[in-house]
Amino acid sequence: MVSIQDESMISPEFAKIMARVRENADFMPDHQFDTQMSNNLGKDWKSKFQDFEMVPFAAASLGQVHYATLHDGTRVVVKVQYPGVADSINSDIDNLTAVLSVVDLVPKGAHVEQALSIAKKELAYETDYIREADSQEKMKALLEGDPDFEVPRVYKELSSMHVLTQEFVEGDPIDAFVDAPLELRNAIGLKMLKLCLRELFEFQYMQTDPNWSNFFYDTQTKKIKLLDFGATLELTEEFSDNYLQVIRSCATDNRQAIIDASIKMGFLSGYESEIMLDAHCAAIKVVGEPFASEDNYDFVEKAAYKRVGKLLEVFAKHRITAPPEESYALNRKLSGAFLLCTKLNAVIPCKPLFDTVYDHKMKHGDR
């Protein structure tokens, strides 16, 4: 998340450093790479491709990515995980948890132990490429027929726990369009918000990593291509429905309805102080504000993330109960979408998006 922050939150220099960390890492030596491929696809792995570019075109914290061509001429990309990265993640988080347990650096209200436990689970998901392949196929089916999105095909016969092969797609990372004409920037922002709402309230299934390089925009097809499904979350219908009512209550400025639904979801215990309830409702209203506005919503002018940031100290001091597990990934997803719209200087009509999803839910839901 640090690598996609707006420069008003962190310095431009630090943002550039973190962006480089997000996009670049060291490559595996050839012998190590061959061993990893042989262990996952068999010693004859090279024979399964017509052509395989041994020099990766990208690398990040978990692995590196190569261009390849199948025997039928199909262009693919092959993601190969670094050996031992899953064990290293577990060890690092365990060590951090141990340090924080004896050093009083974080307020109790931050519930850092739960946050680290969830981070450990989510990072384990990201190192399981079999799970990612299944998630990608599921999202491809869910978005079938949507004119705004495309999910590349996965080749499971060329995938395993630590290798993932998928169809090559055209496009550029969505943050490459920050200097594009306003009409295009608005279109991209609107599509990303539409995706958030469909995932949260219609599919109850979310890709929760907001890294902008996970989303490519194709200027020819005008589609956003979804590329990474390591961080996916399945929501319960109850959680989704209650969150829908929370956002709906923002439009009607119904404070008590926000509190009641938040208690059902586990955000609140029902025994919070007034200062905590005020901060919680204020934060929720910031999230719901774009979807309640009758006017086009200016993400830069409203600076929603800055207002939420000012409330974090109150949460750290006055939160009684840890937030529900789903909220960590949900907040990451929503904040990523809002930050993107801010980076794009988007001014867009958000309320019709929410009204469409809400009406669909009311018509086709169980209530």
Side-chain angles (χ1 to χ4, degrees):
M1 280 300 297
V2 175
S3 67
I4 64 170
Q5 292 296 315
D6 181 79
E7 288 180 0
S8 62
M9 298 283 284
I10 60 175
S11 72
E13 293 78 12
F14 187 57
K16 290 176 181 177
I17 291 171
M18 292 308 298
R20 286 198 296 270
V21 170
R22 168 162 61 96
E23 296 167 359
N24 298 283
D26 293 332
F27 302 153
M28 280 183 267
D30 288 347
H31 70 277
Q32 186 181 51
F33 176 79
D34 184 67
T35 299
Q36 184 74 326
M37 291 293 287
S38 296
N39 289 342
N40 283 273
L41 298 185
K43 291 184 177 180
D44 63 340
W45 67 267
K46 287 185 179 179
S47 69
K48 299 178 181 181
F49 300 91
Q50 181 185 98
D51 180 65
F52 194 100
E53 295 188 16
M54 291 298 294
V55 177
F57 69 88
S61 56
L62 299 183
Q64 60 193 48
V65 192
H66 297 252
Y67 289 126
T69 305
L70 303 184
H71 288 291
D72 64 1
T74 301
R75 295 178 67 193
V76 295
V77 294
V78 184
K79 183 164 66 172
V80 185
Q81 191 176 124
Y82 301 133
V85 70
D87 292 335
S88 176
I89 288 170
N90 288 335
S91 176
D92 288 347
I93 292 180
D94 287 342
N95 289 337
L96 180 58
T97 302
V99 169
L100 292 175
S101 69
V102 296
V103 180
D104 189 19
L105 291 176
V106 182
K108 291 183 179 180
H111 297 280
V112 68
E113 289 188 4
Q114 173 169 308
L116 289 173
S117 175
I118 292 170
K120 188 174 183 179
K121 179 192 293 187
E122 291 181 348
L123 287 168
Y125 289 160
E126 295 216 40
T127 60
D128 182 350
Y129 288 176
I130 295 175
R131 181 183 186 275
E132 180 172 352
D134 290 340
S135 299
Q136 186 161 333
E137 288 190 335
K138 180 173 182 177
M139 188 63 77
K140 184 176 178 65
L142 288 170
L143 286 170
E144 191 71 34
D146 191 311
D148 292 326
F149 305 103
E150 180 179 327
V151 178
R153 173 186 172 185
V154 172
Y155 292 85
K156 283 195 168 181
E157 68 276 15
L158 296 173
S159 301
S160 67
M161 185 70 174
H162 301 125
V163 174
L164 181 65
T165 301
Q166 62 180 315
E167 173 189 9
F168 169 82
V169 294
E170 300 284 353
D172 297 291
I174 51 178
D175 61 331
F177 294 90
V178 293
D179 295 320
L182 178 60
E183 183 179 2
L184 177 54
R185 287 185 276 121
N186 283 346
I188 293 173
L190 204 60
K191 290 176 196 291
M192 289 300 293
L193 288 177
K194 171 188 172 183
L195 178 64
C196 278
L197 294 176
R198 290 201 71 194
E199 287 179 324
L200 177 54
F201 299 124
E202 186 178 338
F203 304 154
Q204 285 116 46
Y205 195 73
M206 301 184 74
Q207 191 275 35
T208 63
D209 183 353
N211 189 325
W212 293 325
S213 61
N214 291 341
F215 305 92
F216 275 32
Y217 183 75
D218 187 337
T219 56
Q220 298 300 312
T221 64
K222 296 181 172 55
K223 289 185 176 183
I224 291 177
K225 317 291 181 67
L226 284 63
L227 301 181
D228 190 306
F229 295 87
T232 53
L233 175 68
E234 187 159 8
L235 302 169
T236 65
E237 186 167 5
E238 180 182 12
F239 184 92
S240 173
D241 288 352
N242 282 323
Y243 202 79
L244 182 71
Q245 294 305 325
V246 165
I247 301 301
R248 180 69 172 178
S249 297
C250 294
T252 57
D253 197 25
N254 190 333
R255 183 177 186 272
Q256 191 57 50
I258 293 174
I259 293 172
D260 291 343
S262 297
I263 292 172
K264 290 179 182 179
M265 297 166 69
F267 280 104
L268 301 172
S269 68
Y271 299 97
E272 280 75 14
S273 64
E274 281 301 311
I275 189 172
M276 178 60 199
L277 292 177
D278 288 344
H280 175 77
C281 290
I284 290 293
K285 286 180 181 179
V286 168
V287 176
E289 184 179 85
F291 308 112
S293 174
E294 297 289 348
D295 301 321
N296 287 355
Y297 190 83
D298 187 328
F299 280 85
V300 172
E301 180 183 286
K302 300 296 184 181
Y305 59 93
K306 291 182 182 178
R307 284 181 281 150
V308 172
K310 293 177 181 178
L311 299 170
L312 295 181
E313 186 176 350
V314 177
F315 294 150
K317 289 182 178 179
H318 297 278
R319 182 179 289 282
I320 295 175
T321 184
E325 182 173 332
E326 300 94 332
S327 69
Y328 292 86
L330 174 60
N331 290 341
R332 192 166 63 241
K333 175 78 171 186
L334 291 173
S335 63
F338 279 32
L339 282 167
L340 172 67
C341 289
T342 302
K343 191 177 183 71
L344 293 172
N345 285 281
V347 183
I348 50 182
C350 303
K351 189 174 185 295
L353 285 178
F354 180 79
D355 289 344
T356 297
V357 170
Y358 186 84
D359 291 344
H360 180 273
K361 188 70 175 179
M362 293 301 100
K363 183 177 180 180
H364 301 283
D366 293 334
R367 286 188 298 278

